[in-house]
Amino acid sequence: MERGLFGMVSGAEILSGGIIKLQVSEAEVNNINIRFLDRTGEPTIGKTRPETIIRQLTTKKGQVYSMIQGKRDVDTVLAMGIMDDVSIIPQPAGETDKVDLTMNVVERKSGGGISGGGGISSGITNGPLAGLIGR
């Protein structure tokens, strides 16, 4: 736990004198899934390709899952600037020593804005709209 590794109890044995012997396995990453959520937490269809997000992760399939590394992955995806919220949910896979990771992401609203501007310039002196600048 101090190293941030995700362990799972894979066996228990009760010994004499009230001692319990636990077998703990470090969880290996089985699958990484991206789940897009809307602002209310309901599943939705995302605009970002899941491969784009997975490419940014340092956690890879087949390695021991580290919660510290998972936190860095969350920070990396947030730093992309296209997500409002990111979290990782580890869940036991079918096999006892593996874990499936689900990364919940809420995409940031983008685009759709219209801007404009205008002004007066003393450098334009001829034409029907002399001195006006528009954008």
Side-chain angles (χ1 to χ4, degrees), residues 104-119:
N104 292 324
V105 296
V106 177
E107 289 181 301
R108 182 170 287 165
K109 296 273 187 197
S110 63
I114 297 174
S115 66

Side-chain angles (χ1 to χ4, degrees), residues 19-34:
I19 298 173
I20 298 176
K21 181 180 177 183
L22 296 176
Q23 182 177 352
V24 178
S25 300
E26 293 175 339
E28 181 182 305
V29 177
N30 184 48
N31 278 322
I32 302 173
N33 300 305
I34 305 297

Side-chain angles (χ1 to χ4, degrees), residues 40-95:
T40 64
E42 294 297 317
T44 188
I45 297 172
K47 295 178 183 173
T48 307
R49 293 186 6 224
E51 305 83 44
T52 303
I53 298 168
I54 291 174
R55 189 173 45 237
Q56 302 301 316
L57 307 180
T58 57
T59 301
K60 303 294 181 196
K61 185 176 178 174
Q63 73 183 62
V64 174
Y65 176 59
S66 164
M67 291 181 283
I68 294 170
Q69 190 174 3
K71 170 74 172 101
R72 280 193 296 252
D73 287 339
V74 166
D75 292 342
T76 299
V77 173
L78 283 170
M80 292 170 64
I82 58 174
M83 302 297 167
D84 276 336
D85 190 29
V86 178
S87 64
I88 293 180
I89 310 295
Q91 298 175 327
E95 301 176 40

